[in-house]
Amino acid sequence: VQESYIVAVNAEGLWIVDQHAAHERVLFNRHLRLRIERKVEAQRLLMPIVVELKPDQQVVLQTIVEELAANGFEVEPFGQRTVAVKTAPAEVAAENVEKLMVEILDMLGEERQALSLEVLRNRIAASISCHAAIKVNMPLEKSKMDWLLQELSKADCPMTCPHGRPTVLR
């Protein structure tokens, strides 16, 4: 419990906060705001990450490449079935970039025809936020817990993460 949840008490009772889901919500709101302002921070990768794509993933990539760029990804063709990811969102660790890219392409593959731009943006932001968020069994200092609770209280939908998981139990 101590390394995955924040346990707090106030006049309303006992609160159990899922630190991963809460951080995911905070990062999601931040990422969407930066995306709208066209200020998403990207990191240039020391070595491009080469990702092998299935044919359906290649089709999805071609249709969302501009939105990926607006979210911090720079992706270029690198052979017949591979792409080189040269930049990624700054908050995502380099070792998670390939998994994140494949997750986004697979998630959008089946329903790309029916997605509005807003839904597309939200799904990409949710995936990025999930990969960048504090993980389970990651101990936090009290100052980080205080910051997270304060930022969560400002969120537009503080009770769930972008995927619908509860952030707080009272």
Side-chain angles (χ1 to χ4, degrees), residues 96-146:
N96 294 331
V97 170
E98 180 177 0
K99 183 178 179 185
L100 173 59
M101 178 64 67
V102 169
E103 178 183 301
I104 289 170
L105 295 174
D106 284 344
M107 170 185 56
L108 300 173
E110 295 175 6
E111 41 186 327
R112 72 180 180 281
Q113 306 294 336
L115 292 179
S116 68
L117 183 57
E118 180 181 1
V119 171
L120 174 63
R121 285 181 181 165
N122 286 347
R123 295 225 177 133
I124 291 172
S127 290
I128 291 169
S129 301
C130 184
H131 283 267
I134 297 164
K135 304 299 180 230
V136 172
N137 295 323
M138 184 181 285
L140 301 179
E141 294 179 8
K142 185 179 180 326
S143 61
K144 183 73 171 188
M145 290 181 200
D146 291 340

CSV table of all heavy atoms in Angstrom, one decimal, residues 96-146:
chain,number,residue,atom,x,y,z
A,96,ASN,N,10.6,3.0,-23.3
A,96,ASN,CA,9.1,2.8,-23.4
A,96,ASN,C,8.6,3.3,-24.8
A,96,ASN,O,7.4,3.1,-25.1
A,96,ASN,CB,8.4,3.5,-22.3
A,96,ASN,CG,8.6,2.9,-21.0
A,96,ASN,OD1,9.0,1.7,-20.8
A,96,ASN,ND2,8.6,3.7,-19.9
A,97,VAL,N,9.4,3.9,-25.6
A,97,VAL,CA,8.9,4.5,-26.8
A,97,VAL,C,8.4,3.5,-27.8
A,97,VAL,O,7.3,3.7,-28.4
A,97,VAL,CB,10.1,5.4,-27.5
A,97,VAL,CG1,9.7,5.8,-28.9
A,97,VAL,CG2,10.4,6.6,-26.6
A,98,GLU,N,9.1,2.4,-28.0
A,98,GLU,CA,8.6,1.4,-29.0
A,98,GLU,C,7.3,0.8,-28.6
A,98,GLU,O,6.4,0.7,-29.4
A,98,GLU,CB,9.7,0.3,-29.2
A,98,GLU,CG,9.2,-0.8,-30.2
A,98,GLU,CD,10.2,-1.8,-30.5
A,98,GLU,OE1,11.3,-1.8,-29.9
A,98,GLU,OE2,9.9,-2.7,-31.2
A,99,LYS,N,7.2,0.5,-27.3
A,99,LYS,CA,6.0,-0.1,-26.8
A,99,LYS,C,4.8,0.9,-26.9
A,99,LYS,O,3.7,0.5,-27.3
A,99,LYS,CB,6.1,-0.5,-25.3
A,99,LYS,CG,4.9,-1.2,-24.7
A,99,LYS,CD,5.2,-1.6,-23.3
A,99,LYS,CE,4.0,-2.3,-22.7
A,99,LYS,NZ,4.2,-2.6,-21.3
A,100,LEU,N,5.1,2.1,-26.6
A,100,LEU,CA,4.1,3.2,-26.7
A,100,LEU,C,3.6,3.4,-28.2
A,100,LEU,O,2.4,3.4,-28.5
A,100,LEU,CB,4.6,4.5,-26.2
A,100,LEU,CG,3.7,5.7,-26.4
A,100,LEU,CD1,2.4,5.6,-25.7
A,100,LEU,CD2,4.5,7.0,-25.8
A,101,MET,N,4.6,3.4,-29.1
A,101,MET,CA,4.2,3.6,-30.5
A,101,MET,C,3.3,2.4,-31.0
A,101,MET,O,2.3,2.6,-31.7
A,101,MET,CB,5.5,3.7,-31.4
A,101,MET,CG,5.3,3.8,-32.9
A,101,MET,SD,4.4,5.3,-33.4
A,101,MET,CE,5.7,6.5,-33.0
A,102,VAL,N,3.7,1.2,-30.7
A,102,VAL,CA,2.9,0.0,-31.1
A,102,VAL,C,1.6,0.1,-30.5
A,102,VAL,O,0.5,-0.2,-31.1
A,102,VAL,CB,3.7,-1.3,-30.8
A,102,VAL,CG1,2.8,-2.5,-31.0
A,102,VAL,CG2,5.0,-1.4,-31.7
A,103,GLU,N,1.5,0.4,-29.2
A,103,GLU,CA,0.2,0.5,-28.5
A,103,GLU,C,-0.7,1.5,-29.2
A,103,GLU,O,-1.9,1.2,-29.4
A,103,GLU,CB,0.4,0.9,-27.1
A,103,GLU,CG,-0.8,1.1,-26.2
A,103,GLU,CD,-0.5,1.5,-24.8
A,103,GLU,OE1,0.2,0.8,-24.1
A,103,GLU,OE2,-1.0,2.6,-24.5
A,104,ILE,N,-0.2,2.7,-29.5
A,104,ILE,CA,-1.0,3.7,-30.2
A,104,ILE,C,-1.6,3.2,-31.5
A,104,ILE,O,-2.7,3.3,-31.9
A,104,ILE,CB,-0.3,5.0,-30.4
A,104,ILE,CG1,-0.1,5.7,-29.0
A,104,ILE,CG2,-1.0,6.0,-31.3
A,104,ILE,CD1,0.9,6.8,-29.0
A,105,LEU,N,-0.7,2.6,-32.3
A,105,LEU,CA,-1.1,2.1,-33.6
A,105,LEU,C,-2.1,1.0,-33.6
A,105,LEU,O,-3.0,0.9,-34.3
A,105,LEU,CB,0.2,1.7,-34.4
A,105,LEU,CG,1.2,2.8,-34.8
A,105,LEU,CD1,2.4,2.2,-35.4
A,105,LEU,CD2,0.5,3.9,-35.6
A,106,ASP,N,-1.9,0.1,-32.6
A,106,ASP,CA,-2.8,-1.0,-32.5
A,106,ASP,C,-4.2,-0.6,-31.9
A,106,ASP,O,-5.2,-1.0,-32.4
A,106,ASP,CB,-2.3,-2.1,-31.5
A,106,ASP,CG,-1.2,-3.0,-32.1
A,106,ASP,OD1,-1.1,-3.0,-33.4
A,106,ASP,OD2,-0.4,-3.6,-31.4
A,107,MET,N,-4.1,0.4,-31.0
A,107,MET,CA,-5.4,0.9,-30.4
A,107,MET,C,-6.2,1.6,-31.5
A,107,MET,O,-7.5,1.5,-31.5
A,107,MET,CB,-5.0,1.9,-29.3
A,107,MET,CG,-6.2,2.6,-28.7
A,107,MET,SD,-5.7,3.9,-27.5
A,107,MET,CE,-4.5,4.9,-28.4
A,108,LEU,N,-5.6,2.3,-32.4
A,108,LEU,CA,-6.3,3.1,-33.4
A,108,LEU,C,-6.7,2.3,-34.6
A,108,LEU,O,-7.5,2.7,-35.4
A,108,LEU,CB,-5.5,4.3,-33.7
A,108,LEU,CG,-5.3,5.3,-32.6
A,108,LEU,CD1,-4.3,6.4,-33.0
A,108,LEU,CD2,-6.6,5.8,-32.0
A,109,GLY,N,-6.0,1.1,-34.8
A,109,GLY,CA,-6.2,0.3,-36.0
A,109,GLY,C,-7.6,-0.1,-36.3
A,109,GLY,O,-8.0,0.1,-37.5
A,110,GLU,N,-8.3,-0.6,-35.4
A,110,GLU,CA,-9.6,-1.1,-35.6
A,110,GLU,C,-10.7,-0.1,-35.9
A,110,GLU,O,-11.6,-0.3,-36.6
A,110,GLU,CB,-10.1,-2.0,-34.5
A,110,GLU,CG,-9.2,-3.2,-34.4
A,110,GLU,CD,-9.6,-4.1,-33.1
A,110,GLU,OE1,-10.6,-3.8,-32.5
A,110,GLU,OE2,-8.9,-5.0,-32.9
A,111,GLU,N,-10.5,1.1,-35.3
A,111,GLU,CA,-11.6,2.1,-35.4
A,111,GLU,C,-11.2,3.4,-35.9
A,111,GLU,O,-11.9,4.4,-35.7
A,111,GLU,CB,-12.3,2.3,-34.0
A,111,GLU,CG,-11.3,2.3,-32.8
A,111,GLU,CD,-12.0,2.4,-31.5
A,111,GLU,OE1,-13.1,2.9,-31.4
A,111,GLU,OE2,-11.4,1.8,-30.6
A,112,ARG,N,-10.1,3.5,-36.6
A,112,ARG,CA,-9.6,4.8,-37.1
A,112,ARG,C,-10.6,5.5,-38.0
A,112,ARG,O,-10.6,6.7,-38.0
A,112,ARG,CB,-8.3,4.6,-37.8
A,112,ARG,CG,-8.3,4.0,-39.2
A,112,ARG,CD,-6.9,3.8,-39.7
A,112,ARG,NE,-7.0,3.2,-41.1
A,112,ARG,CZ,-7.1,1.9,-41.3
A,112,ARG,NH1,-7.1,1.1,-40.3
A,112,ARG,NH2,-7.1,1.4,-42.5
A,113,GLN,N,-11.4,4.8,-38.7
A,113,GLN,CA,-12.4,5.4,-39.6
A,113,GLN,C,-13.5,6.2,-38.8
A,113,GLN,O,-13.9,7.2,-39.3
A,113,GLN,CB,-13.1,4.4,-40.5
A,113,GLN,CG,-12.2,3.5,-41.3
A,113,GLN,CD,-11.4,4.2,-42.4
A,113,GLN,OE1,-11.8,5.3,-42.8
A,113,GLN,NE2,-10.2,3.7,-42.7
A,114,ALA,N,-13.8,5.7,-37.6
A,114,ALA,CA,-14.9,6.3,-36.9
A,114,ALA,C,-14.4,7.3,-35.8
A,114,ALA,O,-15.2,7.9,-35.2
A,114,ALA,CB,-15.6,5.2,-36.2
A,115,LEU,N,-13.1,7.6,-35.7
A,115,LEU,CA,-12.6,8.5,-34.7
A,115,LEU,C,-12.6,9.9,-35.1
A,115,LEU,O,-12.2,10.2,-36.2
A,115,LEU,CB,-11.2,8.1,-34.3
A,115,LEU,CG,-11.0,6.8,-33.6
A,115,LEU,CD1,-9.5,6.5,-33.3
A,115,LEU,CD2,-11.8,6.7,-32.3
A,116,SER,N,-13.1,10.8,-34.2
A,116,SER,CA,-13.0,12.2,-34.5
A,116,SER,C,-11.6,12.6,-34.1
A,116,SER,O,-10.9,11.9,-33.4
A,116,SER,CB,-14.0,13.0,-33.6
A,116,SER,OG,-13.7,12.9,-32.3
A,117,LEU,N,-11.2,13.8,-34.5
A,117,LEU,CA,-9.9,14.3,-34.2
A,117,LEU,C,-9.7,14.4,-32.6
A,117,LEU,O,-8.7,14.1,-32.1
A,117,LEU,CB,-9.6,15.7,-34.8
A,117,LEU,CG,-8.2,16.3,-34.6
A,117,LEU,CD1,-7.1,15.3,-35.1
A,117,LEU,CD2,-8.1,17.6,-35.3
A,118,GLU,N,-10.8,14.9,-32.0
A,118,GLU,CA,-10.7,15.0,-30.5
A,118,GLU,C,-10.5,13.7,-29.8
A,118,GLU,O,-9.7,13.5,-28.9
A,118,GLU,CB,-12.0,15.7,-30.0
A,118,GLU,CG,-12.0,15.8,-28.5
A,118,GLU,CD,-13.3,16.4,-27.9
A,118,GLU,OE1,-14.2,16.7,-28.7
A,118,GLU,OE2,-13.4,16.6,-26.7
A,119,VAL,N,-11.2,12.6,-30.3
A,119,VAL,CA,-11.1,11.3,-29.7
A,119,VAL,C,-9.7,10.8,-30.0
A,119,VAL,O,-9.0,10.2,-29.1
A,119,VAL,CB,-12.1,10.3,-30.2
A,119,VAL,CG1,-11.8,8.9,-29.8
A,119,VAL,CG2,-13.5,10.7,-29.7
A,120,LEU,N,-9.2,11.0,-31.2
A,120,LEU,CA,-7.8,10.6,-31.5
A,120,LEU,C,-6.8,11.3,-30.6
A,120,LEU,O,-5.9,10.6,-30.0
A,120,LEU,CB,-7.5,11.0,-33.0
A,120,LEU,CG,-6.1,10.7,-33.5
A,120,LEU,CD1,-5.7,9.3,-33.4
A,120,LEU,CD2,-5.9,11.3,-34.9
A,121,ARG,N,-6.9,12.6,-30.4
A,121,ARG,CA,-6.0,13.3,-29.5
A,121,ARG,C,-6.1,12.8,-28.1
A,121,ARG,O,-5.1,12.6,-27.4
A,121,ARG,CB,-6.4,14.8,-29.5
A,121,ARG,CG,-5.9,15.5,-30.7
A,121,ARG,CD,-6.3,17.0,-30.7
A,121,ARG,NE,-5.8,17.6,-31.9
A,121,ARG,CZ,-6.2,18.8,-32.3
A,121,ARG,NH1,-7.1,19.5,-31.6
A,121,ARG,NH2,-5.8,19.3,-33.4
A,122,ASN,N,-7.3,12.5,-27.6
A,122,ASN,CA,-7.5,12.0,-26.3
A,122,ASN,C,-6.8,10.6,-26.1
A,122,ASN,O,-6.2,10.4,-25.1
A,122,ASN,CB,-8.9,12.0,-25.9
A,122,ASN,CG,-9.5,13.3,-25.6
A,122,ASN,OD1,-8.8,14.3,-25.5
A,122,ASN,ND2,-10.8,13.4,-25.5
A,123,ARG,N,-7.0,9.8,-27.1
A,123,ARG,CA,-6.4,8.4,-26.9
A,123,ARG,C,-4.9,8.5,-27.0
A,123,ARG,O,-4.2,7.7,-26.2
A,123,ARG,CB,-7.0,7.5,-28.0
A,123,ARG,CG,-8.5,7.3,-27.9
A,123,ARG,CD,-8.9,5.9,-28.1
A,123,ARG,NE,-10.3,5.8,-27.8
A,123,ARG,CZ,-11.1,5.1,-28.6
A,123,ARG,NH1,-10.6,4.5,-29.7
A,123,ARG,NH2,-12.4,5.0,-28.3
A,124,ILE,N,-4.3,9.3,-27.8
A,124,ILE,CA,-2.9,9.4,-27.9
A,124,ILE,C,-2.4,10.0,-26.6
A,124,ILE,O,-1.4,9.5,-26.0
A,124,ILE,CB,-2.4,10.2,-29.1
A,124,ILE,CG1,-2.7,9.5,-30.4
A,124,ILE,CG2,-0.9,10.6,-29.0
A,124,ILE,CD1,-2.5,10.3,-31.7
A,125,ALA,N,-3.0,11.0,-26.1
A,125,ALA,CA,-2.6,11.7,-24.8
A,125,ALA,C,-2.7,10.7,-23.7
A,125,ALA,O,-1.9,10.7,-22.8
A,125,ALA,CB,-3.5,12.9,-24.6
A,126,ALA,N,-3.8,9.9,-23.7
A,126,ALA,CA,-4.0,8.9,-22.6
A,126,ALA,C,-2.8,7.8,-22.6
A,126,ALA,O,-2.3,7.5,-21.5
A,126,ALA,CB,-5.3,8.2,-22.7
A,127,SER,N,-2.5,7.4,-23.8
A,127,SER,CA,-1.4,6.4,-23.9
A,127,SER,C,-0.1,7.0,-23.4
A,127,SER,O,0.7,6.4,-22.7
A,127,SER,CB,-1.2,5.9,-25.3
A,127,SER,OG,-2.3,5.1,-25.6
A,128,ILE,N,0.2,8.2,-23.9
A,128,ILE,CA,1.5,8.9,-23.5
A,128,ILE,C,1.5,9.1,-21.9
A,128,ILE,O,2.5,8.8,-21.3
A,128,ILE,CB,1.6,10.2,-24.2
A,128,ILE,CG1,1.9,10.0,-25.7
A,128,ILE,CG2,2.7,11.1,-23.6
A,128,ILE,CD1,1.8,11.3,-26.5
A,129,SER,N,0.4,9.5,-21.4
A,129,SER,CA,0.3,9.8,-19.9
A,129,SER,C,0.5,8.5,-19.1
A,129,SER,O,1.1,8.5,-18.1
A,129,SER,CB,-1.0,10.4,-19.6
A,129,SER,OG,-1.2,11.7,-20.3
A,130,CYS,N,-0.1,7.4,-19.6
A,130,CYS,CA,0.0,6.2,-18.9
A,130,CYS,C,1.5,5.7,-18.8
A,130,CYS,O,2.0,5.3,-17.8
A,130,CYS,CB,-0.8,5.1,-19.5
A,130,CYS,SG,-0.8,3.5,-18.7
A,131,HIS,N,2.2,5.8,-20.0
A,131,HIS,CA,3.6,5.4,-20.0
A,131,HIS,C,4.5,6.3,-19.2
A,131,HIS,O,5.6,5.9,-18.8
A,131,HIS,CB,4.1,5.3,-21.5
A,131,HIS,CG,3.6,4.1,-22.1
A,131,HIS,ND1,4.3,2.9,-22.2
A,131,HIS,CD2,2.4,3.8,-22.8
A,131,HIS,CE1,3.6,2.0,-22.8
A,131,HIS,NE2,2.4,2.5,-23.2
A,132,ALA,N,4.1,7.6,-19.0
A,132,ALA,CA,5.0,8.5,-18.3
A,132,ALA,C,4.7,8.6,-16.8
A,132,ALA,O,5.5,9.2,-16.1
A,132,ALA,CB,4.8,9.9,-19.0
A,133,ALA,N,3.5,8.1,-16.4
A,133,ALA,CA,3.1,8.2,-15.0
A,133,ALA,C,3.9,7.4,-14.0
A,133,ALA,O,4.6,6.5,-14.4
A,133,ALA,CB,1.6,7.8,-14.9
A,134,ILE,N,3.9,7.9,-12.8
A,134,ILE,CA,4.5,7.1,-11.7
A,134,ILE,C,4.0,5.7,-11.7
A,134,ILE,O,2.8,5.5,-12.0
A,134,ILE,CB,4.0,7.8,-10.3
A,134,ILE,CG1,4.6,9.2,-10.2
A,134,ILE,CG2,4.5,7.0,-9.1
A,134,ILE,CD1,3.9,10.1,-9.2
A,135,LYS,N,4.8,4.8,-11.4
A,135,LYS,CA,4.5,3.4,-11.5
A,135,LYS,C,4.1,2.8,-10.1
A,135,LYS,O,4.4,3.4,-9.1
A,135,LYS,CB,5.6,2.5,-12.1
A,135,LYS,CG,6.1,3.0,-13.4
A,135,LYS,CD,5.0,2.9,-14.5
A,135,LYS,CE,5.5,3.3,-15.8
A,135,LYS,NZ,4.7,4.3,-16.5
A,136,VAL,N,3.4,1.7,-10.1
A,136,VAL,CA,3.0,1.0,-8.9
A,136,VAL,C,4.4,0.6,-8.3
A,136,VAL,O,5.4,0.3,-8.9
A,136,VAL,CB,2.2,-0.3,-9.3
A,136,VAL,CG1,2.0,-1.1,-8.0
A,136,VAL,CG2,0.8,0.2,-9.8
A,137,ASN,N,4.4,0.5,-6.9
A,137,ASN,CA,5.6,0.1,-6.2
A,137,ASN,C,6.7,1.1,-6.3
A,137,ASN,O,7.9,0.8,-6.2
A,137,ASN,CB,6.0,-1.3,-6.5
A,137,ASN,CG,5.0,-2.3,-6.1
A,137,ASN,OD1,4.4,-2.2,-5.1
A,137,ASN,ND2,4.9,-3.3,-6.9
A,138,MET,N,6.4,2.4,-6.6
A,138,MET,CA,7.4,3.4,-6.7
A,138,MET,C,7.1,4.4,-5.5
A,138,MET,O,6.2,5.1,-5.4
A,138,MET,CB,7.2,4.2,-8.0
A,138,MET,CG,8.3,5.3,-8.2
A,138,MET,SD,8.1,6.2,-9.7
A,138,MET,CE,8.6,5.0,-10.9
A,139,PRO,N,8.0,4.3,-4.5
A,139,PRO,CA,7.8,5.1,-3.3
A,139,PRO,C,7.9,6.6,-3.6
A,139,PRO,O,8.7,7.0,-4.4
A,139,PRO,CB,8.9,4.7,-2.3
A,139,PRO,CG,9.8,3.8,-3.1
A,139,PRO,CD,9.2,3.5,-4.4
A,140,LEU,N,7.0,7.4,-3.0
A,140,LEU,CA,7.0,8.9,-3.2
A,140,LEU,C,7.4,9.6,-1.9
A,140,LEU,O,6.9,9.1,-0.8
A,140,LEU,CB,5.7,9.3,-3.7
A,140,LEU,CG,5.1,8.8,-5.0
A,140,LEU,CD1,3.8,9.4,-5.3
A,140,LEU,CD2,6.1,9.1,-6.1
A,141,GLU,N,8.1,10.6,-2.0
A,141,GLU,CA,8.3,11.5,-0.8
A,141,GLU,C,7.1,12.3,-0.5
A,141,GLU,O,6.2,12.5,-1.4
A,141,GLU,CB,9.5,12.5,-1.1
A,141,GLU,CG,10.8,11.8,-1.3
A,141,GLU,CD,11.9,12.8,-1.6
A,141,GLU,OE1,11.7,14.0,-1.5
A,141,GLU,OE2,13.0,12.3,-1.9
A,142,LYS,N,6.9,12.8,0.7
A,142,LYS,CA,5.7,13.5,1.1
A,142,LYS,C,5.5,14.7,0.2
A,142,LYS,O,4.3,15.0,-0.2
A,142,LYS,CB,5.8,13.9,2.5
A,142,LYS,CG,4.5,14.5,3.0
A,142,LYS,CD,4.5,14.9,4.4
A,142,LYS,CE,3.2,15.6,4.9
A,142,LYS,NZ,2.5,16.4,4.0
A,143,SER,N,6.5,15.4,-0.2
A,143,SER,CA,6.3,16.6,-1.0
A,143,SER,C,5.8,16.2,-2.4
A,143,SER,O,4.9,16.9,-2.9
A,143,SER,CB,7.7,17.3,-1.2
A,143,SER,OG,8.6,16.5,-1.8
A,144,LYS,N,6.2,15.1,-2.9
A,144,LYS,CA,5.6,14.6,-4.2
A,144,LYS,C,4.2,14.2,-4.1
A,144,LYS,O,3.3,14.5,-4.9
A,144,LYS,CB,6.5,13.5,-4.8
A,144,LYS,CG,6.0,12.9,-6.1
A,144,LYS,CD,6.4,13.9,-7.2
A,144,LYS,CE,6.1,13.2,-8.6
A,144,LYS,NZ,6.6,14.0,-9.7
A,145,MET,N,3.8,13.6,-2.9
A,145,MET,CA,2.4,13.2,-2.7
A,145,MET,C,1.6,14.5,-2.6
A,145,MET,O,0.5,14.5,-3.1
A,145,MET,CB,2.3,12.4,-1.4
A,145,MET,CG,2.9,11.0,-1.4
A,145,MET,SD,2.6,10.3,0.2
A,145,MET,CE,3.9,9.0,0.1
A,146,ASP,N,2.1,15.5,-1.8
A,146,ASP,CA,1.3,16.7,-1.7
A,146,ASP,C,1.1,17.4,-3.0
A,146,ASP,O,0.0,17.8,-3.3
A,146,ASP,CB,2.1,17.7,-0.7
A,146,ASP,CG,2.1,17.2,0.7
A,146,ASP,OD1,1.2,16.4,1.1
A,146,ASP,OD2,2.9,17.7,1.5
